[in-house]
Amino acid sequence: MYAFELHQAKSVADAAALLAKTGGKALAGGQSLVAAMKLRLAQPGHVVDLSGLAELKGIRREGDHVSIGAMTRHAEVASSDVVKGAIPALAALAEGIGDRQVRNMGTLGGSLANNDPAADWPAGVLGLGATVATNKRKIAADDFFKGMYETALAADEIIVSVSFPVPKKAAYAKFPNPASRFALVGVFAAQTGSGVRVAVTGAASSVFRCKPLEDALAKSWSSAAAKAVKVDASGLNSDLHGSPAYRAHLVSVMASRAVEAAG
């Protein structure tokens, strides 16, 4: 590790001011940033720690939505009776992230701000059409994810909470990398008040909605309908774990499993 200055934020406003002043990085659970700093992939001179901000933590039901604070740990979402009762698909998604250490340290807001192409939370947020609330504004899920490790957040903008609409049905299914537990392909399928939404992570440079699957499932919400969709492999990832064609096939398979799990 190299030398840097650590700041303990006293409030969200204080954290935003520190980020604007120093041009540093916000530290949530540290599961991505600290690893990147160790490898010199990220070398911020200033790090603003958000872990002491109680205003960024917590889970609560608000009518037909579930609001989750940005600094809420994955393990807390996985074990939450509120989440299990309203959107069990999110509890299951959180339970499948990484290993026990990652789930007890990693946070919802940190995962979204980092926007790893194979992370699980972006699929849940985009699949449910959630709203990301920051210290400055509210951002619809469809407008939040911009590309590989890129979001709509400004340099001094901090995620405060995420509001998830309670769906009629929803589930998440992923084919995990056995070493990292990141998604080789993960699919979140949901019947929402605005129609069917299907979000895919791990298959491309960023999470995306799959319209062919959405159209097929809008006509017939069944695993057979999902599996019958031939996903276009153009633009999908190619690496030692799988070709674009392999990932395209997995998208349909994971979608069918998600629909089956949702009921």
Side-chain angles (χ1 to χ4, degrees):
M1 190 68 77
Y2 61 93
F4 61 91
E5 187 170 353
L6 179 66
H7 305 267
Q8 297 288 345
K10 299 178 176 63
S11 66
V12 172
D14 180 43
L18 285 167
L19 291 173
K21 179 181 178 181
T22 66
K25 291 284 189 179
L27 177 67
Q31 299 305 288
S32 298
L33 179 60
V34 172
M37 291 170 68
K38 286 181 177 180
L39 295 171
R40 300 294 199 273
L41 296 175
Q43 300 184 48
H46 298 264
V47 175
V48 180
D49 187 3
L50 307 178
S51 62
L53 303 183
E55 59 193 298
L56 296 181
K57 302 175 183 178
I59 302 170
R60 59 186 181 276
R61 177 76 181 256
E62 297 177 338
D64 59 355
H65 287 69
V66 172
S67 178
I68 303 178
M71 283 297 294
T72 305
R73 312 287 179 179
H74 308 318
E76 294 171 327
V77 178
S79 63
S80 167
D81 289 336
V82 173
V83 177
K84 288 180 180 179
I87 316 176
L90 286 185
L93 179 151
E95 180 63 33
I97 295 175
D99 54 27
R100 186 173 297 176
Q101 177 176 319
V102 169
R103 291 192 293 274
N104 278 285
M105 289 297 296
T107 66
L108 166 61
S111 176
L112 296 180
N114 186 55
N115 192 25
D116 189 291
D120 298 303
W121 273 119
V125 170
L126 187 60
L128 287 172
T131 300
V132 180
T134 75
N135 57 316
K136 295 182 175 182
R137 55 182 171 150
K138 293 183 178 180
I139 310 171
D142 288 321
D143 301 321
F144 184 81
F145 304 101
K146 297 298 185 181
M148 183 181 289
Y149 296 105
E150 183 183 2
T151 70
L153 294 172
D156 61 343
E157 197 166 10
I158 298 169
I159 299 174
V160 174
S161 63
V162 181
S163 180
F164 296 90
V166 177
K168 300 173 183 177
K169 295 180 180 180
Y172 178 61
K174 76 171 175 177
F175 191 88
N177 181 308
S180 68
R181 308 301 296 173
F182 274 105
L184 191 61
V185 167
V187 177
F188 196 102
Q191 284 186 334
T192 73
S194 59
V196 173
R197 295 177 67 97
V198 178
V200 181
T201 188
S205 59
S206 183
V207 65
F208 65 93
R209 288 177 63 184
C210 186
K211 191 174 188 303
L213 278 167
E214 291 179 345
D215 291 343
L217 291 174
K219 295 177 182 177
S220 173
W221 179 264
S222 67
S223 59
K227 190 175 290 187
V229 174
K230 303 300 181 184
V231 176
D232 185 359
S234 302
L236 299 189
N237 294 336
S238 178
D239 54 30
L240 59 88
H241 301 296
S243 67
Y246 179 64
R247 281 185 163 86
H249 173 70
L250 277 180
V251 171
S252 296
V253 173
M254 291 302 108
S256 70
R257 293 182 183 179
V259 171
E260 185 175 0

